[in-house]
Amino acid sequence: MAIVRPFRGVRYDTEQVLLKNVITPPYDVITPEMRAAYAAKSPYNVVLIDLPVGDDDRYAVAGNLYRKWKDAGILIKGQDKSFYLYEQVYEYGGKTYVRSGFVGALKLSEFGKGQVFPHEKTLSGPKADRYELMKASKANFSQIFGLYQDNENRLSVLFNDVKKAMPSASAIDETGVKHSVWTISDENSITKIESFMRDKTIYIADGHHRYETALKYRDDMRVQEGLTEGEERYYDYVMMMFVNFMDEGLKVFPTHRVIDVADNFEDKDFIEYASSLFEVCKLESRESAEKFLKDNINIPGAWVYYGKQGIYGMNLLQESVEKQHPVYRKVSTYLLEDLVLKGYFKYSDERLLAKAGIHFIQSWEEIDDYKKENASVAFILNGENMESIRDVSESGLVMPQKSTYFYPKLATGLLFNDL
């Protein structure tokens, strides 16, 4: 049973700050240069508390700053427990898309033991970082991104009614995505949402480290306070954005892999190896490579190899597919990792987790920039499909790190949740 509750959200007072100057993308996509730029926009930019820098006391400084902003009225806590309708409007491929969901508080349960399932591996470093921040601030600064399945999209009627009113907050970020929030506080709507979510399975789309951090924080706090079974506290829940798998605005983009190689690396040696596992074809240009990807968009194990001397299309042979785990046969990032990164480039699990000599990059342009300065080869992928993500989650398996890039990213700074 998924228990989803309303909560008293903490929000920026938009009479004192301009919302677009204080919100950011999630902490884990912000570079040092981006952080400096966000911090320069406003002394109240969320990056100052969500991505603290400095010495060992940086988490305490961030927690104190959060409390200072609340005391000064920069951040205001809602009077009523509410759900929050969150809409993102964006352009992609010349078309306008709308993604809608709601933010609520999900009761925590261990992965696979309740109705919450992950799909990606987590790393100890980011979890330690998020834990120290949560402990110092006693708050969720950003919402985890969760997915649920509803083929009939039954909450859309409620959402459309809510959207008839003006949003309580709205901002357009630097990428052109419009973020809007409405407060849902009437008892009838709250009851409908709670009841609707009760039988839903929740799949983590983004925020695996934050979810596991929330579990550890809950367990540590319950021991510290000596709570018995049945007693609940705010930290038994975590702030989450819930989006229907069927939402037309839900996009999953690929994250491409760039591998550092020796200066004398030759494509022909790799192609010789790959030809025993893949059907390989020479591609003459980026345009032909993009056509190859488009023609094979629903084919797992099909990608473009962007080498030092040429570009090639690769399509996994059926006999190679059949040797894989039935679930992983559908996951290109796993097939690439198993057959190529481990099989040819001899990566160990430890090196992959440490990202030693491997770079996760979103676009051709960024790959070109990197290759100009570094001896490297790249694997250009299509995005994973929703069915594969569900299958991996429900099987108790995980995808390699950076397998999915859900677009657009949720904004940090729209809502905070005190624990």
Side-chain angles (χ1 to χ4, degrees), residues 310-365:
I311 304 175
Y312 299 83
M314 301 176 63
N315 206 323
L316 193 61
L317 296 171
Q318 187 59 35
E319 54 262 37
S320 301
V321 173
E322 292 173 354
K323 295 177 182 179
Q324 299 295 321
H325 187 288
V327 173
Y328 282 138
R329 291 173 189 173
K330 302 177 183 178
V331 183
S332 288
T333 53
Y334 177 84
L335 297 171
L336 176 66
E337 181 177 283
D338 186 56
L339 298 173
V340 176
L341 302 186
K342 291 181 178 179
Y344 184 79
F345 291 96
K346 305 305 179 186
Y347 268 85
S348 63
D349 287 329
E350 291 72 24
R351 283 188 69 208
L352 286 167
L353 286 173
K355 304 180 195 176
I358 182 170
H359 311 274
F360 301 96
I361 297 179
Q362 299 301 133
S363 70
W364 278 92
E365 291 75 18

Coordinates of all heavy atoms in Angstrom, one line a residue, residues 310-365:
G310 N 36.3 6.9 -37.2 CA 35.1 6.8 -38.0 C 33.8 6.7 -37.1 O 33.9 6.6 -35.9
I311 N 32.7 6.6 -37.8 CA 31.4 6.4 -37.1 C 30.7 5.1 -37.6 O 30.7 4.9 -38.8 CB 30.5 7.6 -37.3 CG1 31.1 8.9 -36.9 CG2 29.1 7.4 -36.6 CD1 30.3 10.2 -37.3
Y312 N 30.2 4.3 -36.7 CA 29.6 3.0 -37.1 C 28.3 2.8 -36.4 O 28.1 3.2 -35.2 CB 30.6 1.9 -36.7 CG 31.9 1.9 -37.3 CD1 32.9 2.7 -36.8 CD2 32.2 1.2 -38.5 CE1 34.2 2.8 -37.4 CE2 33.4 1.2 -39.1 CZ 34.4 2.0 -38.6 OH 35.7 2.1 -39.2
G313 N 27.4 2.2 -37.1 CA 26.1 1.7 -36.5 C 26.3 0.3 -36.0 O 26.9 -0.5 -36.7
M314 N 25.8 0.0 -34.8 CA 26.0 -1.3 -34.2 C 24.6 -1.8 -33.8 O 23.8 -1.1 -33.1 CB 26.9 -1.3 -33.0 CG 28.3 -0.8 -33.3 SD 29.4 -0.6 -31.8 CE 29.4 -2.3 -31.3
N315 N 24.3 -3.1 -34.2 CA 23.0 -3.7 -33.8 C 23.3 -5.1 -33.3 O 23.8 -5.9 -34.0 CB 22.1 -3.7 -35.1 CG 20.6 -3.7 -34.7 OD1 20.3 -4.4 -33.7 ND2 19.8 -3.1 -35.5
L316 N 22.9 -5.4 -32.1 CA 23.2 -6.6 -31.4 C 22.6 -7.8 -32.2 O 21.4 -7.8 -32.5 CB 22.8 -6.6 -30.0 CG 23.3 -7.7 -29.0 CD1 24.8 -7.6 -28.9 CD2 22.6 -7.5 -27.7
L317 N 23.5 -8.8 -32.4 CA 23.0 -10.0 -33.1 C 22.0 -10.8 -32.2 O 22.2 -10.8 -31.0 CB 24.2 -10.9 -33.5 CG 25.1 -10.3 -34.5 CD1 26.4 -11.2 -34.7 CD2 24.4 -10.1 -35.9
Q318 N 21.1 -11.5 -32.8 CA 20.1 -12.2 -32.0 C 20.7 -13.2 -31.0 O 20.3 -13.4 -29.9 CB 19.1 -12.9 -32.9 CG 17.9 -13.5 -32.2 CD 17.1 -12.5 -31.4 OE1 16.9 -11.4 -31.7 NE2 16.6 -13.0 -30.2
E319 N 21.7 -14.0 -31.5 CA 22.4 -15.0 -30.7 C 23.1 -14.3 -29.5 O 23.1 -14.9 -28.4 CB 23.4 -15.8 -31.4 CG 24.4 -15.1 -32.2 CD 24.1 -14.9 -33.7 OE1 22.9 -14.7 -34.0 OE2 25.1 -14.9 -34.5
S320 N 23.5 -13.1 -29.6 CA 24.1 -12.4 -28.5 C 23.0 -11.9 -27.5 O 23.2 -12.0 -26.3 CB 24.9 -11.1 -29.0 OG 25.9 -11.5 -29.9
V321 N 21.8 -11.5 -28.0 CA 20.7 -11.1 -27.2 C 20.3 -12.3 -26.3 O 20.0 -12.1 -25.1 CB 19.5 -10.6 -28.1 CG1 18.3 -10.4 -27.2 CG2 19.9 -9.4 -28.8
E322 N 20.2 -13.4 -26.9 CA 19.6 -14.6 -26.2 C 20.5 -15.1 -25.0 O 20.0 -15.8 -24.2 CB 19.4 -15.7 -27.2 CG 18.2 -15.4 -28.2 CD 18.1 -16.5 -29.3 OE1 19.0 -17.4 -29.3 OE2 17.2 -16.3 -30.1
K323 N 21.7 -14.7 -25.0 CA 22.6 -15.0 -23.9 C 22.4 -14.2 -22.7 O 23.0 -14.4 -21.6 CB 24.0 -15.0 -24.3 CG 24.4 -16.0 -25.4 CD 25.8 -15.9 -25.9 CE 26.2 -16.8 -27.0 NZ 27.6 -16.7 -27.5
Q324 N 21.6 -13.1 -22.8 CA 21.4 -12.1 -21.7 C 20.2 -12.5 -20.8 O 19.3 -13.2 -21.3 CB 21.3 -10.7 -22.3 CG 22.5 -10.2 -23.1 CD 23.7 -10.1 -22.2 OE1 23.6 -9.6 -21.1 NE2 24.9 -10.4 -22.7
H325 N 20.2 -11.9 -19.6 CA 19.0 -12.1 -18.7 C 17.8 -11.5 -19.5 O 17.9 -10.5 -20.1 CB 19.3 -11.3 -17.5 CG 18.2 -11.4 -16.4 ND1 17.0 -10.9 -16.5 CD2 18.3 -12.1 -15.2 CE1 16.3 -11.2 -15.4 NE2 17.1 -11.9 -14.6
P326 N 16.6 -12.2 -19.4 CA 15.4 -11.8 -20.1 C 15.1 -10.4 -19.9 O 14.6 -9.7 -20.9 CB 14.4 -12.8 -19.6 CG 15.1 -14.0 -19.2 CD 16.4 -13.5 -18.7
V327 N 15.2 -9.8 -18.7 CA 14.9 -8.4 -18.5 C 15.9 -7.5 -19.1 O 15.6 -6.5 -19.7 CB 14.7 -8.2 -17.0 CG1 14.6 -6.7 -16.7 CG2 13.6 -8.9 -16.4
Y328 N 17.2 -7.8 -19.0 CA 18.2 -7.0 -19.4 C 18.4 -7.0 -21.0 O 19.0 -6.1 -21.5 CB 19.6 -7.4 -18.8 CG 19.8 -6.9 -17.4 CD1 20.3 -7.7 -16.4 CD2 19.4 -5.6 -17.1 CE1 20.5 -7.2 -15.1 CE2 19.5 -5.1 -15.8 CZ 20.1 -5.9 -14.8 OH 20.3 -5.5 -13.5
R329 N 17.7 -7.9 -21.6 CA 17.7 -7.9 -23.1 C 17.2 -6.6 -23.7 O 17.4 -6.3 -24.8 CB 17.0 -9.1 -23.6 CG 17.6 -10.5 -23.4 CD 16.7 -11.6 -23.8 NE 17.2 -12.9 -23.4 CZ 16.5 -14.0 -23.5 NH1 15.3 -14.0 -24.1 NH2 17.1 -15.2 -23.1
K330 N 16.3 -6.0 -22.9 CA 15.6 -4.8 -23.3 C 16.3 -3.5 -22.9 O 15.9 -2.4 -23.2 CB 14.2 -4.7 -22.8 CG 13.3 -5.9 -23.1 CD 12.0 -5.8 -22.4 CE 11.1 -7.0 -22.7 NZ 9.8 -6.9 -22.0
V331 N 17.5 -3.6 -22.3 CA 18.1 -2.4 -21.7 C 19.5 -2.2 -22.3 O 20.5 -2.8 -22.1 CB 18.3 -2.6 -20.1 CG1 18.9 -1.3 -19.5 CG2 17.0 -2.9 -19.5
S332 N 19.5 -1.2 -23.2 CA 20.7 -0.9 -24.0 C 21.9 -0.5 -23.1 O 23.0 -0.9 -23.4 CB 20.4 0.2 -25.0 OG 19.6 -0.2 -26.1
T333 N 21.7 0.3 -22.1 CA 22.8 0.7 -21.2 C 23.4 -0.6 -20.5 O 24.7 -0.6 -20.4 CB 22.4 1.7 -20.1 OG1 21.2 1.1 -19.4 CG2 22.0 3.0 -20.8
Y334 N 22.6 -1.5 -20.2 CA 23.2 -2.8 -19.6 C 23.9 -3.6 -20.6 O 25.0 -4.1 -20.4 CB 22.1 -3.6 -19.0 CG 22.6 -4.9 -18.4 CD1 23.2 -5.0 -17.2 CD2 22.7 -6.1 -19.2 CE1 23.7 -6.2 -16.7 CE2 23.2 -7.3 -18.8 CZ 23.7 -7.3 -17.5 OH 24.3 -8.5 -17.0
L335 N 23.4 -3.7 -21.8 CA 24.0 -4.5 -22.9 C 25.4 -3.9 -23.3 O 26.4 -4.6 -23.5 CB 23.1 -4.6 -24.1 CG 21.8 -5.3 -23.9 CD1 20.9 -5.1 -25.1 CD2 22.0 -6.8 -23.6
L336 N 25.4 -2.5 -23.3 CA 26.6 -1.8 -23.6 C 27.7 -2.1 -22.5 O 28.8 -2.3 -22.8 CB 26.4 -0.3 -23.8 CG 27.6 0.6 -24.0 CD1 28.2 0.3 -25.3 CD2 27.2 2.0 -23.9
E337 N 27.2 -1.9 -21.3 CA 28.1 -2.1 -20.2 C 28.7 -3.5 -20.1 O 29.9 -3.7 -20.0 CB 27.4 -1.8 -18.9 CG 28.3 -1.9 -17.6 CD 27.5 -1.6 -16.4 OE1 27.4 -0.3 -16.1 OE2 27.1 -2.5 -15.6
D338 N 27.8 -4.5 -20.3 CA 28.2 -5.9 -20.2 C 29.1 -6.4 -21.4 O 30.2 -7.0 -21.2 CB 27.0 -6.8 -20.1 CG 27.4 -8.3 -19.8 OD1 28.1 -8.5 -18.8 OD2 27.0 -9.2 -20.6
L339 N 28.7 -6.1 -22.6 CA 29.4 -6.6 -23.8 C 30.5 -5.8 -24.3 O 31.5 -6.3 -24.8 CB 28.3 -6.8 -24.9 CG 27.2 -7.8 -24.6 CD1 26.2 -7.8 -25.7 CD2 27.7 -9.2 -24.4
V340 N 30.5 -4.5 -24.0 CA 31.5 -3.6 -24.6 C 32.4 -3.0 -23.5 O 33.6 -3.2 -23.6 CB 30.8 -2.4 -25.4 CG1 31.9 -1.5 -25.9 CG2 30.0 -3.0 -26.6
L341 N 31.8 -2.4 -22.5 CA 32.7 -1.7 -21.5 C 33.4 -2.8 -20.7 O 34.6 -2.6 -20.4 CB 31.8 -0.8 -20.6 CG 31.1 0.3 -21.3 CD1 30.4 1.2 -20.2 CD2 32.0 1.1 -22.2
K342 N 32.7 -3.8 -20.3 CA 33.4 -4.9 -19.6 C 34.1 -5.9 -20.5 O 35.2 -6.3 -20.3 CB 32.4 -5.7 -18.7 CG 31.9 -4.9 -17.5 CD 30.9 -5.7 -16.7 CE 30.4 -5.0 -15.5 NZ 29.4 -5.8 -14.7
G343 N 33.4 -6.2 -21.6 CA 33.9 -7.2 -22.6 C 35.2 -6.8 -23.3 O 36.1 -7.6 -23.5
Y344 N 35.2 -5.5 -23.8 CA 36.3 -5.1 -24.6 C 37.2 -4.1 -23.8 O 38.5 -4.3 -23.8 CB 35.9 -4.4 -25.9 CG 37.0 -4.0 -26.8 CD1 37.7 -5.0 -27.6 CD2 37.5 -2.7 -26.8 CE1 38.7 -4.6 -28.4 CE2 38.6 -2.4 -27.6 CZ 39.2 -3.3 -28.4 OH 40.3 -3.0 -29.2
F345 N 36.7 -3.1 -23.2 CA 37.5 -2.1 -22.5 C 37.9 -2.6 -21.1 O 38.6 -1.8 -20.4 CB 36.7 -0.8 -22.5 CG 36.6 -0.1 -23.8 CD1 35.4 -0.3 -24.6 CD2 37.6 0.6 -24.3 CE1 35.3 0.3 -25.8 CE2 37.5 1.2 -25.6 CZ 36.3 1.1 -26.3
K346 N 37.4 -3.7 -20.7 CA 37.9 -4.4 -19.4 C 37.6 -3.6 -18.2 O 38.4 -3.5 -17.2 CB 39.4 -4.7 -19.5 CG 39.8 -5.6 -20.7 CD 39.0 -6.9 -20.8 CE 39.4 -7.7 -22.0 NZ 38.5 -8.9 -22.2
Y347 N 36.4 -2.9 -18.2 CA 36.0 -2.2 -17.0 C 35.5 -3.2 -15.9 O 34.8 -4.1 -16.2 CB 34.9 -1.2 -17.3 CG 35.3 0.2 -17.7 CD1 35.7 0.5 -19.0 CD2 35.4 1.2 -16.7 CE1 36.1 1.7 -19.3 CE2 35.8 2.4 -17.0 CZ 36.2 2.7 -18.3 OH 36.6 4.0 -18.7
S348 N 35.9 -2.9 -14.7 CA 35.4 -3.7 -13.6 C 34.2 -2.9 -13.0 O 34.0 -1.7 -13.3 CB 36.4 -3.8 -12.5 OG 36.8 -2.5 -12.0
D349 N 33.4 -3.6 -12.2 CA 32.3 -2.9 -11.5 C 32.8 -1.7 -10.7 O 32.2 -0.6 -10.7 CB 31.5 -3.8 -10.6 CG 30.7 -4.8 -11.4 OD1 30.2 -4.5 -12.5 OD2 30.5 -5.9 -10.9
E350 N 34.0 -1.8 -10.1 CA 34.5 -0.8 -9.2 C 34.9 0.4 -10.1 O 34.6 1.6 -9.7 CB 35.7 -1.3 -8.5 CG 35.5 -2.3 -7.4 CD 35.1 -3.7 -7.9 OE1 35.4 -4.0 -9.1 OE2 34.4 -4.4 -7.2
R351 N 35.5 0.2 -11.3 CA 35.9 1.3 -12.1 C 34.7 2.0 -12.7 O 34.7 3.3 -12.8 CB 36.8 0.8 -13.3 CG 38.2 0.5 -12.9 CD 39.0 0.2 -14.2 NE 39.2 1.4 -15.0 CZ 39.3 1.4 -16.3 NH1 39.3 0.2 -17.0 NH2 39.5 2.5 -17.0
L352 N 33.6 1.3 -13.0 CA 32.4 1.9 -13.5 C 31.8 2.7 -12.5 O 31.3 3.9 -12.8 CB 31.4 0.8 -14.0 CG 31.8 0.1 -15.3 CD1 31.0 -1.2 -15.5 CD2 31.6 1.0 -16.5
L353 N 31.7 2.2 -11.2 CA 31.1 3.0 -10.2 C 31.9 4.3 -9.9 O 31.3 5.3 -9.6 CB 30.9 2.2 -8.9 CG 29.8 1.1 -8.9 CD1 29.9 0.2 -7.7 CD2 28.5 1.7 -9.0
A354 N 33.2 4.2 -10.0 CA 34.1 5.3 -9.8 C 34.1 6.3 -11.0 O 34.7 7.3 -10.9 CB 35.5 4.9 -9.4
K355 N 33.4 5.9 -12.1 CA 33.5 6.7 -13.3 C 34.9 7.0 -13.8 O 35.2 8.1 -14.3 CB 32.7 8.0 -13.2 CG 31.3 7.8 -12.7 CD 30.6 9.2 -12.5 CE 29.3 9.1 -11.7 NZ 28.7 10.4 -11.5
A356 N 35.7 6.0 -13.7 CA 37.2 6.1 -14.0 C 37.3 6.0 -15.5 O 37.1 5.0 -16.1 CB 38.0 5.0 -13.4
G357 N 37.6 7.2 -16.1 CA 37.8 7.2 -17.6 C 36.5 7.1 -18.4 O 36.6 6.8 -19.6
I358 N 35.4 7.2 -17.8 CA 34.1 7.2 -18.5 C 33.3 8.4 -18.1 O 33.3 8.9 -17.0 CB 33.3 5.9 -18.1 CG1 32.0 5.9 -18.9 CG2 33.1 5.8 -16.6 CD1 31.3 4.5 -18.8
H359 N 32.7 9.0 -19.1 CA 32.0 10.3 -18.9 C 30.6 10.2 -19.5 O 30.4 9.6 -20.5 CB 32.8 11.4 -19.7 CG 34.2 11.4 -19.3 ND1 34.8 12.1 -18.2 CD2 35.3 10.8 -19.9 CE1 36.1 11.9 -18.2 NE2 36.4 11.1 -19.2
F360 N 29.7 10.7 -18.8 CA 28.2 10.7 -19.1 C 27.8 12.0 -19.7 O 27.8 13.0 -19.0 CB 27.4 10.3 -17.9 CG 27.8 8.9 -17.3 CD1 28.7 8.9 -16.3 CD2 27.3 7.8 -17.9 CE1 29.1 7.6 -15.7 CE2 27.7 6.5 -17.4 CZ 28.6 6.5 -16.3
I361 N 27.5 12.1 -21.0 CA 27.3 13.3 -21.7 C 26.0 13.3 -22.4 O 25.6 12.2 -23.0 CB 28.5 13.6 -22.6 CG1 29.8 13.7 -21.8 CG2 28.3 14.8 -23.5 CD1 31.0 14.0 -22.6
Q362 N 25.3 14.4 -22.5 CA 23.9 14.5 -23.0 C 23.8 14.7 -24.5 O 22.9 14.3 -25.2 CB 23.1 15.6 -22.3 CG 23.0 15.4 -20.8 CD 22.3 14.1 -20.5 OE1 22.8 13.4 -19.6 NE2 21.2 13.8 -21.1
S363 N 24.8 15.4 -25.2 CA 24.6 15.8 -26.6 C 25.8 15.6 -27.4 O 27.0 15.4 -26.9 CB 24.3 17.3 -26.6 OG 25.4 18.1 -26.2
W364 N 25.6 15.5 -28.7 CA 26.7 15.4 -29.7 C 27.6 16.6 -29.6 O 28.9 16.4 -29.7 CB 26.1 15.4 -31.1 CG 25.5 14.2 -31.7 CD1 24.2 13.7 -31.6 CD2 26.2 13.2 -32.4 NE1 24.1 12.5 -32.2 CE2 25.3 12.2 -32.8 CE3 27.6 13.0 -32.8 CZ2 25.7 11.0 -33.5 CZ3 27.9 11.9 -33.6 CH2 27.0 10.9 -33.9
E365 N 27.1 17.8 -29.4 CA 28.0 18.9 -29.3 C 29.0 18.8 -28.1 O 30.1 19.2 -28.3 CB 27.1 20.2 -29.2 CG 26.3 20.5 -30.4 CD 25.1 19.7 -30.6 OE1 24.7 19.0 -29.7 OE2 24.6 19.6 -31.8

